[in-house]
Amino acid sequence: MLEKVKRLCDKYYDEMAAFREHLHQYPELSFEEFETAKKVCAFLDKYKIPYKKDIAKTGILAIIEGKKSTSKKCVLLRADMDALPVEEDTNLPYSSKVKGKMHACGHDGHTSGLLGAALILNELKDEFSGTVKIMFQPAEENGGGAKPMIDEGILENPKVDAVFGCHLWGPMLENTAQIVSGEMMAGVDVFDLEFIGKGGHGAHPHTTIDALLMGARFVNNIQAVVSRRIKPVEAGVITVGRIEAGTTYNIIPERSKLQGTVRFLNDETQSILQKSIEDTAKAVALEFGGDYELKYKREYPPLINDEAMAIVARKAFAKVLGEQNLINNAKPDMGAEDFAFLTRARQGAYVFVGISKDLNNPALHHSPHFSWDTKNIKNLMQGDAMMALEFLNS
């Protein structure tokens, strides 16, 4: 089967490479992937692959039925379609033509790689049993398109038994893949915090309640939470990435606004971090005699690979890349991925696929200089197809 997959990959590669470079030139932000979705649907129409569109606004679900037997097994493969609000600076011949928008995380590759896998599986449908669902998802970067697609029923009718996905990964060399069992990526929450004091003249601080000082105290105090509230063998991160306060040098500000992110690998750590942020904000406001407003939002849960599904993914990528090019015992990454909603709903595995030629100068995600060789979509086309076949034929 591998040789047939490789042959079909070669057959469709030129089309998919051109498709990837077109998507790169015309990036669309989260829940705005209308033209991207139209382009995907045009290919599905061309090759007579049935699909449903406009799921969670721009999402697409294609379905390929194996003809070998009447097996009820069903597997889902997923790719994300959205770009980022980044001004590209790569000098690539297919650089973004849309000002302030760029595929700076590889989703153009994910989409074209999965579409190529769909074309491969469509040609092989007489040689496998069961059903493959192909999920093209909006808004991984902002807002999370996986959960609304799940809410609209993509895991039912027929019921999905397993889910698989891949991410092109800059911290790894080309032609390698990382597949771990258990914790793969962190969960993430975000918060907006405003301290409310009493403004006044910088020469008369005793008549004020300094909201800027409250914000500074919060930032300082909250950094002790991870080192003193979380078990040393567990992972947690609290980052305050934005502070806004004041209008000029000699006025003590009445309000300070902070925004931050919280990352964790399990629900217990998440609960501790959230409560600590709430308690610290309250304590700081009480200490200074001011007030506060906190908006805390749960974003994505941790992404946990199922052990049995990780084995399926390893078998697939070992055939594509060679066993010697698999990384099986890496530490979790504290980045977040809304594929986690799929692995919470069904057993599944997520795979990092390397794209860097030199780890001294790796492809840096979310950077205006993010760049990788289009040929790497071959590993996605073959890897996605082989994961589906390994699961359905196991």
Side-chain angles (χ1 to χ4, degrees):
M1 188 69 81
L2 176 64
E3 291 308 312
K4 292 180 181 179
V5 168
K6 287 183 175 291
R7 175 178 56 79
L8 291 170
C9 177
D10 290 338
K11 174 181 177 179
Y12 291 116
Y13 171 72
D14 287 344
E15 271 190 288
M16 293 300 97
F19 180 65
R20 180 259 161 160
E21 292 176 5
H22 175 85
L23 292 186
H24 196 88
Q25 289 180 296
Y26 299 98
E28 296 177 296
L29 301 182
S30 298
F31 290 119
E32 298 175 3
E33 308 93 338
F34 298 104
E35 293 304 316
T36 301
K38 285 181 183 178
K39 192 79 172 175
V40 170
C41 290
F43 266 99
L44 296 173
D45 287 333
K46 177 180 177 180
Y47 290 100
K48 297 180 171 55
I49 300 174
Y51 62 89
K52 296 178 182 178
K53 63 180 182 177
D54 302 329
I55 306 170
K57 202 167 186 179
T58 59
I60 302 162
L61 187 72
I63 299 178
I64 300 170
E65 298 279 359
K67 304 299 183 183
K68 192 173 181 180
S69 76
T70 57
S71 168
K72 294 183 179 180
K73 291 181 75 172
C74 180
V75 62
L76 180 142
L77 304 174
R78 173 268 204 175
D80 36 15
M81 301 187 292
D82 55 329
L84 285 156
V86 173
E87 185 71 27
E88 182 161 357
D89 184 17
T90 62
N91 295 317
L92 290 169
Y94 50 88
S95 290
S96 173
K97 294 181 180 293
V98 184
K99 186 172 179 58
K101 299 179 184 179
M102 176 191 176
H103 270 292
C105 202
H107 297 188
D108 50 339
H110 301 169
T111 302
S112 52
L114 182 56
L115 182 57
L119 303 185
I120 292 169
L121 291 166
N122 190 52
E123 280 219 34
L124 294 175
K125 60 188 176 185
D126 289 336
E127 301 189 37
F128 68 85
S129 58
T131 303
V132 183
K133 291 186 176 182
I134 308 291
M135 174 187 180
F136 296 98
Q137 177 203 308
E140 188 281 323
E141 296 289 359
N142 185 20
K147 189 174 187 304
M149 287 192 73
I150 294 170
D151 291 343
E152 290 196 30
I154 64 164
L155 298 180
E156 306 298 336
N157 302 315
K159 183 178 179 180
V160 170
D161 299 301
V163 295
F164 295 96
C166 296
H167 199 309
L168 295 172
W169 203 238
M172 291 164 43
L173 289 172
E174 289 182 340
N175 300 314
T176 65
Q178 177 183 313
I179 306 137
V180 300
S181 298
E183 298 166 343
M184 179 75 178
M185 298 185 77
V188 61
D189 298 342
V190 295
F191 64 90
D192 288 88
L193 173 60
E194 183 171 11
F195 285 107
I196 304 159
K198 181 181 178 183
H201 200 292
H204 308 133
H206 59 291
T207 66
T208 73
I209 298 173
D210 191 339
L212 178 55
L213 185 56
M214 284 194 282
R217 182 65 60 87
F218 174 85
V219 173
N220 186 61
N221 289 357
I222 204 67
Q223 297 308 313
V225 171
V226 172
S227 65
R228 289 296 176 268
R229 296 288 308 279
I230 303 301
K231 296 175 185 177
V233 294
E234 299 290 350
V237 179
I238 300 176
T239 296
V240 177
R242 184 169 182 265
I243 301 178
E244 178 185 330
T247 56
T248 191
Y249 70 97
N250 65 344
I251 297 175
I252 292 174
E254 186 163 312
R255 292 175 179 263
S256 63
K257 298 179 181 180
L258 298 82
Q259 291 181 313
T261 180
V262 180
R263 294 170 189 268
F264 45 89
L265 293 176
N266 57 61
D267 292 340
E268 179 185 2
T269 299
Q270 187 281 330
S271 296
I272 293 170
L273 296 178
Q274 180 176 352
K275 188 173 188 306
S276 296
I277 287 171
E278 295 167 349
D279 291 347
T280 302
K282 182 177 181 180
V284 167
L286 183 64
E287 177 186 1
F288 286 89
D291 203 354
Y292 75 99
E293 294 177 358
L294 174 64
K295 295 178 181 178
Y296 191 99
K297 182 183 177 184
R298 298 294 305 273
E299 287 270 300
Y300 305 162
L303 198 167
I304 311 296
N305 278 354
D306 176 81
E307 183 175 357
M309 295 305 101
I311 291 172
V312 171
R314 285 189 202 115
K315 287 180 179 179
F317 273 90
K319 291 177 180 178
V320 172
L321 299 176
E323 186 73 41
Q324 72 279 9
N325 292 314
L326 300 189
I327 303 166
N328 297 321
N329 296 307
K331 297 291 185 182
D333 189 271
M334 295 307 287
E337 238 291 347
D338 77 339
F339 188 82
F341 287 110
L342 290 161
T343 54
R344 282 221 162 180
R346 297 290 189 272
Q347 60 180 352
Y350 199 61
V351 181
F352 287 158
V353 178
I355 52 172
S356 286
K357 296 180 184 297
D358 175 9
L359 292 185
N360 291 319
N361 297 286
L364 299 175
H365 294 270
H366 292 216
S367 161
H369 309 293
F370 182 71
S371 176
W372 52 276
D373 194 322
T374 299
K375 71 179 183 182
N376 286 287
I377 66 169
K378 286 186 174 183
N379 292 335
L380 291 184
M381 292 170 67
Q382 295 175 33
D384 278 333
M386 288 302 298
M387 285 193 295
L389 294 170
E390 283 288 337
F391 177 79
L392 292 176
N393 292 333
S394 62

